[in-house]
Amino acid sequence: MASKALSLTLYNLALPLGLVLMLPGAIRKMRRRNGRWQDLAQRFGFFPQETQAAINALPQRERFWVHAVSVGEVGVAKKLITRLLKTNADLGIVLSTTTPTGHALAAELAAQHAGRVVAIYSPIDLPGVGRLMLERIQPTQLVLVEAEVWPNLTTSASRLGIPISLVNARLSPRSERRYRRFSWFIGPIFRMLKQVLVQEAADVARWQGFGVDAERVHLTGSIKYDPEGAVVPAIKIEELHAVRALAGIAEAQPTLLAASTHAGEEIELARVFLRLREQVSNLALLIVPRHVERRAEISADLQSIGISPALRSAPNSRVDAGAPVFLIDTTGELAAWQHLATLVVVGKSFLAEGGQNPAEAALAQKPVLFGPHMENFTPLVNLLLKHGGAQQVADFTELEAACRVLLKDEAKARRMAQAGHDALTIHEGATLRSVERLLQGGEVS
């Protein structure tokens, strides 16, 4: 079995080559997602003067550094942080993110909790960078969200005696198989975690299999699927009703929502939508792509089959009455848009592997459908299917048939929606349980 020192040495030998190979793609993504070159300095531990001043002004007795990558993880962090701040009035939090879209949401949260939350960009995991950021932030605990166990940052925190907690820990069967091949390398890094708070009972054995002591692995449930904090403000829903009406889609119109779609799915779902309109003539389609920077590509695909979509980002844009399609090319609104849907189809489940999170649609009490590829959400999918709270289809042909049935049988659609919502009660309280563990400071109980 490899030692921590050997694992770290091998990682740091491979890291420069990996960064060089990833750099062109990272720059393209940064440009597409409106990243700024000046933010890059933060990735090396150098903060603007005002950011460092805001960090220094945070409460010092207890100060958590919470790291989340992008929009999905920030959603988990937001629920966690909101409960942490309510529970402990003397706590300050630094929230780091990797992507510009994630950082935008983190900045919104920081603005809501000025003086207690500061948003920054996460460090590049080069030797010394994580330690520099730890020294600048001075956290009493490092909290990693879902899967972000970075070797250099983790090692630096461990050497400085800072407890490291992994919350809402995610380890799918596919990830476990991949990690198993490198367990000799990964195990020593995982064993530096003070505590691992897992989503599912099956995850306990998986983490113990990597050498994490049993008393450090705790079943808390999924923060993401916890109904707490999942309520979308009524004022936001009303705002989107007005936006949709201005675009030419009436409140009473049945609406198919395609959530977090990936390349190639939009045009296929649009074809399904056009065929469904032959029997449900007033049906409308909302498309919420996973990456909004693809708006031009998606619009071109839709126009190739005769659809001219309205754009959420264009205030005066209106849908074509003959094929009302609204492209939601803004970020951070998916949860609210799902409340306006009649049916929700989960993206990345037809033409790519992994799937996207169906929990928000279920919590919004909407019937949920997804394709064959939901590997990243296997426990949740199994839970929803077991309770009749979702429907999985093999391809777009089956999707069309399933949508047709649910659009015509409103009673069946309501039963599925309610069943999906009720199934998630198994995760109720996950946020509070996670907060209680974190406030114990990772102490073994």
Side-chain angles (χ1 to χ4, degrees), residues 25 165 215 217 239 251 261-262 290 292 308 312 357 379 393 401 425:
S165 297
E215 62 268 24
V217 184
E239 174 195 336
E251 184 172 343
T261 54
H262 281 241
R290 176 65 173 171
V292 298
S308 296
R312 166 75 169 105
N357 176 23
V393 296
T425 58

Side-chain angles (χ1 to χ4, degrees), residues 28-36 70 99-101 121 290-293:
R28 286 195 297 270
K29 283 185 179 180
M30 182 186 73
R31 288 174 173 171
R32 288 200 305 265
R33 299 178 188 180
N34 299 316
R36 303 178 304 172
S70 191
T99 68
T101 49
Y121 276 98
R290 176 65 173 171
H291 302 300
V292 298
E293 64 271 17

Side-chain angles (χ1 to χ4, degrees), residues 64 75-91 93 109 113 116-117 223 226-229 428-439:
F64 287 3
V76 171
K78 181 178 178 181
K79 292 173 73 172
L80 183 71
I81 289 170
T82 300
R83 169 58 79 164
L84 278 167
L85 296 179
K86 287 181 180 178
T87 306
N88 188 338
D90 299 319
L91 178 65
I93 293 174
L109 182 66
H113 300 282
R116 299 194 67 189
V117 178
I223 297 171
D226 184 358
E228 177 180 332
E428 191 167 358
T431 307
L432 179 58
R433 289 190 290 271
S434 299
V435 163
E436 290 172 345
R437 285 287 175 187
L438 291 176
L439 294 179

Side-chain angles (χ1 to χ4, degrees), residues 247-409:
I249 302 175
E251 184 172 343
Q253 273 185 262
T255 304
L256 179 65
L257 186 146
S260 297
T261 54
H262 281 241
E265 290 182 326
E266 295 89 6
I267 189 170
E268 295 299 333
L269 290 168
R271 288 183 174 123
V272 168
F273 158 72
L274 290 175
R275 292 192 293 269
L276 287 171
R277 273 182 61 85
E278 294 174 4
Q279 296 187 36
V280 185
S281 59
N282 60 340
L283 183 66
L285 174 63
L286 303 182
I287 298 176
V288 189
R290 176 65 173 171
H291 302 300
V292 298
E293 64 271 17
R294 294 181 51 245
R295 64 171 67 85
E297 170 194 334
I298 297 168
S299 294
D301 283 347
L302 296 177
Q303 287 167 2
S304 73
I305 59 172
I307 294 175
S308 296
L311 300 180
R312 166 75 169 105
S313 61
N316 298 319
S317 183
R318 290 183 61 84
V319 299
D320 180 347
V325 177
F326 200 13
L327 177 57
I328 313 301
D329 57 342
T330 51
T331 60
E333 293 184 332
L334 176 58
W337 278 112
Q338 289 180 122
H339 281 267
L340 278 63
T342 306
L343 305 178
V344 175
V345 178
V346 177
K348 202 184 175 182
S349 64
F350 291 91
L351 301 180
E353 289 191 358
Q356 292 292 346
N357 176 23
E360 286 182 341
L363 289 171
Q365 298 190 46
K366 301 298 177 180
V368 184
L369 302 104
F370 38 75
H373 301 297
M374 290 290 289
E375 295 85 355
N376 290 346
F377 299 90
T378 299
L380 175 60
V381 165
N382 290 341
L383 177 67
L384 292 173
L385 294 178
K386 176 183 177 182
H387 288 80
Q391 185 171 349
Q392 189 164 31
V393 296
D395 51 32
F396 292 107
T397 300
E398 283 194 14
L399 174 67
E400 180 184 339
C403 288
R404 185 177 294 110
V405 169
L406 291 169
L407 288 168
K408 290 186 174 182
D409 191 340

